[in-house]
Amino acid sequence: MPQIIVLPHEILCPDGAAIDAESGSSICDSLLAAGIDLDHACEQSCACTTCHVIVREGFASLDPGTEKEDDLLDKAWGLEPESRLACQTLVDGADLVIEIPKYSINMVKEGH
């Protein structure tokens, strides 16, 4: 079972985390199942960029993003070459190390 290592994020995951992920599940679903409250304002329909993550390790193991995902990522804060939308990125057999950017396009979130 692949693991997702989440680098520390000041609000969502202060100590970082290592979670087991089902192959074929999205990064977003895996994080949410582990109690990491990643923004996903469009309910994972690939219509926003609030679930933007940066894949620090394991990026080459992922299927390429779609043109729609790439177009949306152009609007993401802190875009990097290894950026992906967590709702569109499916975990394969490889372990991943991800970083959740400090800010998202949805800079104000209830409860924080």
Side-chain angles (χ1 to χ4, degrees):
M1 181 174 281
Q3 269 201 329
I4 299 175
I5 309 296
V6 183
L7 298 175
H9 181 278
E10 184 178 319
I11 296 170
L12 300 178
C13 191
D15 297 324
I19 62 173
D20 291 327
E22 294 284 333
S23 288
S25 66
S26 72
I27 291 175
C28 189
D29 284 337
S30 299
L31 296 181
L32 294 172
I36 299 170
D37 190 22
L38 183 68
D39 279 344
H40 54 289
C42 70
E43 298 300 321
Q44 303 186 51
S45 65
C46 195
C48 72
T49 63
T50 58
C51 68
H52 168 224
V53 296
I54 302 163
V55 182
R56 295 291 181 203
E57 292 181 25
F59 186 81
S61 72
L62 302 171
D63 286 338
T66 64
E67 187 175 333
K68 182 177 181 181
E69 179 185 358
D70 291 342
D71 288 346
L72 280 170
L73 279 169
D74 285 340
K75 300 173 186 175
W77 184 91
L79 183 67
E80 294 191 19
E82 295 81 23
S83 289
R84 292 296 303 266
L85 295 181
C87 71
Q88 299 301 300
T89 307
L90 302 181
V91 177
D92 199 358
D95 292 346
L96 302 173
V97 175
I98 66 163
E99 179 180 348
I100 302 169
K102 184 173 182 178
Y103 300 108
S104 76
I105 199 167
N106 188 19
M107 292 183 68
V108 177
K109 182 178 176 188
E110 291 182 29
H112 293 285

